[in-house]
Each structure stands twice: as C-alpha cells, then as structure tokens.
Amino acid sequence: MDRYERILTLHRILKSARRPVPLARLLDELECSRATAYRDIAFLRDALGAPIESDGENAAYSYAVEEGERFELPGLWLTSEELQALLALNELIGRTGPGVLASALAPFRSRIDKLLTNQADGAVRKAPLERIRVIGYGTRKVDEATFRHVASAVLERKRLKFGYRARSTDQATARSVSPQRLTHYRDNWYLDAWDESRDGLRSFAVDRIKDAQVLDAAATDRDDDELNKHLASSYGIFSGAPKNWATVRFSAHAARWVADEHWHSQQQGNWLNDGRYELKLPYSNSKELLMDVLKYGPDAEVVAPLSLREEMKILLQLTIGGYAGASA
C-alpha cells in the first residue's frame, strides 16, 4: 500500500470509528511499520488539518467528536482500485455509445490516468480494459452535438426545439418540447418529453432528432407518477397506458432462460407442472412484444388475449409466405 492509500485508509478508519483505534489495528490495516504509521498520522494531522486525538496510555487514536464529523480530506481522494473502477466505467460508457460521450469524457480519463501515475510513484498503473467486452446490439448512430443539446435541455430543465422524422411514418415534423427524461434502452437513447404542440407525453429516438436547439424558456415539469404511468407502465419503449395483458408460455427448454429474464417491472411469472413457464405482462403496442416472443421460435406460444394470438398467427403466416416457392 503506497502512502496515498495509507492516508486515505487511515482517514476512513478514524472517521468511522466510535472509539479510539489501537495502534496495533492501524499497523495491521495500513500494512506498515510503527515508524511509518507515526509519520502518516503526523502528516494527516499537521499537513491536512485532521482533528486527531491520541490516547497515550492505550496507544490509540481517534478524531475529535464534533470536529471529526465535519472534517473531510481536501479534494477528491480515491484508492487505486476505485480509480481503476472509474476507468472501467468510462470505458463501458464509451463503448455503449461510440463517439457520443467520448470527447466529453476525455479530460476525465486524462485526470484519472494522472492520479494513477502519481499514486504509483511515476509508474503508470494500467487497467487491462481489453478484458472487458461490451457488445452492442442494434445500436444506432447518434450525432454527438445533438446528444449534448438533448442532455443539456434535460438536466438544465430548458425547453427544446428540433426537427423529427419518425421511422413509422417517415414524416418530418417540427417539435417544441419540455424534456422530462433521457432514457437508454436496448443500446439506444430516447428522449421522454412533454410535446407542447400535441399536449401530451411522447418518446423520441435521439438518433432521429435533427437541428436541436435549447431554448431559454423553462421546461414544464410533469409529475413522476404521470411519467411512470404513461411511459413505463406498458411493455417496451412504446408509451401509453396498458391496453391488455399478454400471456406467453415457454417450453421447458426455454423456461430456464426466460424465468431469469426481466421483461417488465409488473411481469408475473409462473412455473407450470410440466416444466413450462408462463409469463404475463402488460402492453399497449403489440409490435415489440411480438418481435421478442418470435425470437424464441417454437419454444414460445402466445396464449392470450385471443387478438394477440391471432396477430402472431398472421405474422407467422406472412413469414412462411415469404419462403413460398423459394429455390433451395
């Protein structure tokens, strides 16, 4: 343990202790000699101003009660393990959205690298980040400037104006909204907002937003209960109150995976006597739900409601029709 980490460990021990800490425990925790411990205690007290009190008879140390509660180390003190974890987190964020946050986080990474170098007495401690794999699936490219404007509007509680072209209709529209939340869902970013012109809550794919402008006007805040009811009560990214509950049964083979999966916050799972697994969940738009069920092929069956079951049958029939007459 280097001096930086010994000082931080010493501070944390004294900060959390309810009674004087024996020197023997400090030597064990700091993994150092008695002389080194004395030097660290003196540095923490004299150079950093820690309110250290000593019990000479029992060779124990503590922080003064009232002053100790208020005292904190100046600046940001983190162990090398914590700094390595931050670097790994930075790497994960960069890989989940290539280019979106990379330049914004570059100074952050540079500072952490410098701190790690200082702690290692000049020798750079590099985390083996190549051993962390993040595999994106269906990630769509997001313009970095657009993302920053959207994120700023959300965090600064400002209205946002932008052009939007929905994939479902391919129609270009102009929107003026009060941003509510920025959502990361299935490797892509969405803006949940109150659409001023349509007087309702909407979700926008950030990759479809163009020419975003943060306005000076303050955003209109909607109640959290209203947001959750409209944006999170139904299955998937589609908003709106649930129109129905779907019941899907999975084979005993697929049940081993599905039983451990999170599909929705209100899902209801039940093991059947023959080893199959039955999953019930609310939905407002069937499209995404059916696509997710389809990936299980013959191991999944939509049981109810009848309208959803019929919709699945039509999808399967159309799929089979696409292969009709195809040459081998």
Side-chain angles (χ1 to χ4, degrees), residues 320-328:
I320 294 174
Y323 290 90
S327 59

Side-chain angles (χ1 to χ4, degrees), residues 244-250 276 278 283 286-287 289-290 293-294 297-318:
N244 215 328
W245 279 72
T247 301
V248 185
R249 287 179 186 164
F250 297 88
R276 291 183 298 167
E278 186 175 270
Y283 71 95
S286 62
K287 183 176 181 180
L289 175 58
L290 292 177
V293 174
L294 276 172
D299 287 313
E301 176 191 2
V302 175
V303 178
L306 181 60
S307 60
L308 187 65
R309 182 180 176 87
E310 291 299 317
E311 191 175 347
M312 176 62 87
K313 288 172 64 176
I314 293 173
L315 279 176
L316 292 172
Q317 290 168 355
L318 291 173

